[in-house]
Amino acid sequence: MVRVLPLFALAALSFSPVRGIELDVTSVDSIKSAASSLASQLVSYYTANSTGRATGILPSPYNWWEAGALFDTLIQYSHLTGDTQYDSLIETGLLSQVGSNSDFMPVNQSATEGNDDQATWALAAMSAAEAQFTNSNNTNTKWLTLADTVFNILTQRWDTSTCSGGLRWQIYSFNQGFDYKNTASNGHFFQLASRLARFTGNATYETWANVAYNWTKGAGFIDSKWNVYDGASIVNANCSDITKIQFSYTAGSYLSGVAHMYNLTNGNSKWKTELDGLLNRTLSVFWENGTVKAATEIACEKTESCTIDMIPMKGLLGHWLADTLQMAPYTTATISSLYTSSAQAAAAACDDTGCSEYWDGKHTGTGGNSTGDVGTSIDALSFVQGLLWQDAGLDGLPATVNGTAVAPPNTTTTATGAGATATKKSEGMAMRAGMGVLSGVLGSMMWLML
Ligand SMILES: *[C@@H]1O[C@H](CO)[C@@H](O)[C@H](O)[C@H]1NC(C)=O
Ligand SMILES: *[C@@H]1O[C@H](CO)[C@@H](O)[C@H](O)[C@H]1NC(C)=O
Ligand SMILES: *[C@@H]1O[C@H](CO)[C@@H](O)[C@H](O)[C@H]1NC(C)=O
Ligand SMILES: *[C@@H]1O[C@H](CO)[C@@H](O)[C@H](O)[C@H]1NC(C)=O
Ligand SMILES: *[C@@H]1O[C@H](CO)[C@@H](O)[C@H](O)[C@H]1NC(C)=O
Ligand SMILES: *[C@@H]1O[C@H](CO)[C@@H](O)[C@H](O)[C@H]1NC(C)=O
Ligand SMILES: *[C@@H]1O[C@H](CO)[C@@H](O)[C@H](O)[C@H]1NC(C)=O
Ligand SMILES: *[C@@H]1O[C@H](CO)[C@@H](O)[C@H](O)[C@H]1NC(C)=O
Ligand SMILES: *[C@@H]1O[C@H](CO)[C@@H](O)[C@H](O)[C@H]1NC(C)=O
Ligand SMILES: *[C@@H]1O[C@H](CO)[C@@H](O)[C@H](O)[C@H]1NC(C)=O
Ligand SMILES: *[C@@H]1O[C@H](CO)[C@@H](O)[C@H](O)[C@H]1NC(C)=O
Ligand SMILES: *[C@@H]1O[C@H](CO)[C@@H](O)[C@H](O)[C@H]1NC(C)=O
């Protein structure tokens, strides 16, 4: 099991600096040990038993989607390290939020969640299917059905009435952001479709992956240089007045989707062109043209203004870069150096009490979230455990359990939203879901950024 992988051989340093969690990137045992510490820290923020809080969610002020991202990160942890101690906690947590229609619209969240939030949970279910993750029925069909159900709901919300297509950010018209189409929702939908396509071979998913990607580029949300922007309002100028803020996880979401399409099509040149362009640009943007060694959330870290929702974003990029490495191994030469130095910087920014959001060594003890939270733990764990990508086996292949083909899903769920009405919850109950907080922040940040 212990072998020196090409990825690690490229590392500039074998050991991380003196502070922080020890990490020797040339040693699988050391990587697993560091990942184990970070996973334990992440789980400690999710204390499902305490204070009467429901299973599957994080305490205030965390938003619902971040718990979905936490479980997805821990599935990756179990899959890459083989440490299954959290499997039942993950399974219980994920299944607690599926809701009565098994579509990740539980009653406590359904009035406020956005398409991106729902898709975050569906991507976690997809990860569980691909990893043949445990569930109480001992088959991965249930995970696949959940992912397929959300996929079908999102296709029903695909909105050609404005901007020639695309998903809106929000599901219901009474939520701020219903008039906005964003790359988080559309990128997650594209990624979900591409992973379902590759996992099942069902052409319906492939068709939708093409539609979603084609629309995103046509709308200019991904520009000719492969910058991935946040989105645009449907009200002014028909989505042409684009909010040009770039967040790492939306680039990462499209990157993962493109890598899965590349793999599905056995290296089709259209997808290779997209993968090369998106990868090159993403690494340039979030590693500041190679002037920094660690992934940086450029939209907010510089100004120490990352919100609680922005902090875990670069960890999701790290997660999806590791998936990209699996789906398109030729990208190792491009990704490995910056990836490895980021993992080292992340480990160096952590200690027993938590991880700093900042990996540049310049923010110790000051600014933003240097004390640690769920997001900073997701960030560090994702990059550190991702170093094990090559030991993960044929991720997502094949869609079988014990050699028997997985039954294709057969769901008939009808979507709500996109004009549908629902009873809005009282302010007290309605936790502002997902990226909802962004809309206000985005408005003010635009003036800062542009
Ligand atoms: C809940 O509490 C029980 C008993 O103390 C413990 O065994 C279990 O691990 C806890 N579960 C979680 C998710 O913390
Ligand atoms: C919904 O919220 C209520 C009140 O906070 C809580 O008691 C219940 O356990 C929650 N249900 C779920 C599925 O999270
Ligand atoms: C197992 O699957 C069956 C059939 O789909 C379902 O009725 C049952 O609720 C599942 N059991 C659990 C524990 O999820
Ligand atoms: C798959 O194989 C394992 C090991 O033999 C067994 O425990 C498990 O029940 C099998 N799962 C299914 C769905 O047959
Ligand atoms: C928006 O663009 C679409 C497609 O280009 C067009 O059909 C539609 O009429 C436009 N709507 C407005 C309000 O300009
Ligand atoms: C392919 O997936 C779609 C979407 O879930 C479903 O409607 C269709 O029945 C599936 N086709 C086959 C052949 O399984
Ligand atoms: C989208 O698809 C149409 C039809 O295949 C094609 O003409 C167009 O160039 C595509 N747009 C982009 C941006 O890929
Ligand atoms: C992206 O491509 C440009 C032009 O080929 C190159 O100079 C740059 O180093 C590449 N960036 C990365 C991160 O690979
Ligand atoms: C990176 O290079 C591009 C293209 O030369 C430039 O527009 C951008 O400002 C640079 N970014 C940083 C952070 O240096
Ligand atoms: C940073 O983490 C602390 C402790 O979890 C939390 O109270 C605070 O709200 C976080 N700050 C931001 C900006 O997220
Ligand atoms: C697709 O992914 C598998 C699993 O990682 C890999 O072995 C194969 O080389 C990939 N295909 C291409 C065209 O890169
Ligand atoms: C799919 O579900 C529908 C509605 O529940 C049912 O009528 C149909 O027989 C199912 N098809 C298969 C192949 O299970």
Side-chain angles (χ1 to χ4, degrees):
M1 192 62 191
V2 181
R3 57 195 168 94
V4 176
L5 305 168
L7 173 64
F8 313 143
L10 289 167
L13 294 165
S14 282
F15 291 89
S16 57
V18 280
R19 271 195 72 250
I21 289 178
E22 190 176 318
L23 173 65
D24 173 357
V25 298
T26 64
S27 157
V28 168
D29 286 346
S30 173
I31 296 167
K32 285 188 178 179
S33 167
S36 167
S37 302
L38 293 168
S40 156
Q41 203 169 76
L42 177 57
V43 167
S44 74
Y45 292 109
Y46 170 70
T47 48
N49 281 0
S50 64
T51 66
R53 184 163 40 75
T55 304
I57 62 175
L58 287 160
S60 178
Y62 297 107
N63 291 312
W64 179 66
W65 79 277
E66 193 164 347
L70 177 150
F71 292 126
D72 202 350
T73 306
L74 290 173
I75 291 166
Q76 180 96 326
Y77 172 76
S78 172
H79 179 56
L80 292 174
T81 65
D83 176 359
T84 58
Q85 67 172 302
Y86 305 118
D87 284 10
S88 112
L89 174 148
I90 298 164
E91 180 196 359
T92 307
L94 273 179
L95 293 178
S96 75
Q97 299 303 306
V98 302
S100 53
N101 292 326
S102 293
D103 59 359
F104 289 116
M105 293 192 72
V107 65
N108 284 358
Q109 311 295 337
S110 57
T112 50
E113 71 185 82
N115 285 310
D116 46 4
D117 306 316
Q118 191 180 8
T120 296
W121 285 85
L123 289 172
M126 191 68 219
S127 298
E130 289 166 344
Q132 303 196 359
F133 196 72
T134 185
N135 70 35
S136 28
N137 274 342
N138 215 1
T139 156
N140 68 9
T141 304
K142 182 159 55 184
W143 299 124
L144 187 59
T145 301
L146 284 164
D148 170 74
T149 297
V150 174
F151 164 85
N152 278 301
I153 287 172
L154 294 174
T155 64
Q156 290 168 51
R157 295 199 193 120
W158 187 261
D159 169 35
T160 53
S161 72
T162 56
C163 315
S164 310
L167 288 169
R168 293 164 185 252
W169 172 15
Q170 294 300 318
I171 297 169
Y172 294 113
S173 57
F174 50 67
N175 284 323
Q176 188 182 7
F178 183 69
D179 287 344
Y180 191 80
K181 293 191 177 177
N182 66 339
T183 45
S185 297
N186 286 284
H188 290 359
F189 171 60
F190 166 63
Q191 185 192 164
L192 182 63
S194 69
R195 287 167 66 180
L196 281 163
R198 183 171 175 286
F199 193 67
T200 67
N202 177 331
T204 303
Y205 304 124
E206 186 176 359
T207 301
W208 272 102
N210 275 294
V211 167
Y213 195 76
N214 182 294
W215 177 80
T216 304
K217 290 206 84 179
F221 287 13
I222 297 179
D223 75 7
S224 60
K225 293 193 165 75
W226 288 278
N227 290 297
V228 181
Y229 299 124
D230 186 72
S233 166
I234 67 173
V235 178
N236 303 314
N238 215 4
C239 286
S240 66
D241 187 7
I242 294 171
T243 304
K244 293 196 167 177
I245 296 178
Q246 291 174 267
F247 290 112
S248 60
Y249 80 136
T250 55
S253 199
Y254 281 102
L255 201 45
S256 167
V258 167
H260 281 83
M261 293 306 286
Y262 169 85
N263 196 280
L264 169 72
T265 58
N266 200 21
N268 164 300
S269 66
K270 170 195 161 174
W271 290 111
K272 181 167 189 307
T273 301
E274 297 303 319
L275 183 51
D276 286 342
L278 202 47
L279 186 56
N280 181 296
R281 193 65 198 145
T282 298
L283 295 176
S284 295
V285 169
F286 299 101
W287 278 261
E288 302 182 53
N289 296 336
T291 61
V292 297
K293 296 279 177 231
T296 308
E297 197 62 54
I298 46 144
C300 58
E301 280 189 34
K302 290 285 160 94
T303 47
E304 300 187 349
S305 59
C306 296
T307 66
I308 198 163
D309 281 325
M310 295 174 191
I311 291 174
M313 288 178 178
K314 66 182 178 185
L316 301 185
L317 171 61
H319 183 154
W320 292 328
L321 278 171
D323 290 351
T324 298
L325 284 162
Q326 284 199 36
M327 290 300 107
Y330 84 89
T331 60
T332 308
T334 314
I335 296 175
S336 59
S337 170
L338 290 175
Y339 196 96
T340 305
S341 58
S342 292
Q344 289 173 313
C350 299
D351 62 24
D352 291 346
T353 62
C355 298
S356 170
E357 170 191 355
Y358 304 108
W359 297 349
D360 61 4
K362 292 179 194 156
H363 283 79
T364 318
T366 66
N369 212 317
S370 53
T371 52
D373 79 338
V374 172
T376 62
S377 283
I378 287 176
D379 292 339
L381 176 58
S382 294
F383 272 93
V384 169
Q385 70 189 9
L387 294 169
L388 297 167
W389 68 270
Q390 209 168 54
D391 278 340
L394 299 180
D395 201 24
L397 266 183
T400 59
V401 173
N402 292 352
T404 305
V406 171
N410 177 27
T411 52
T412 54
T413 312
T414 303
T416 51
T421 53
T423 312
K424 191 171 169 98
K425 288 185 167 43
S426 73
E427 280 305 308
M429 272 190 72
M431 186 171 70
R432 187 74 194 93
M435 309 309 290
V437 293
L438 261 183
S439 60
V441 176
L442 214 52
S444 53
M445 280 189 62
M446 280 177 66
W447 302 109
L448 288 173
M449 308 296 308
L450 301 178

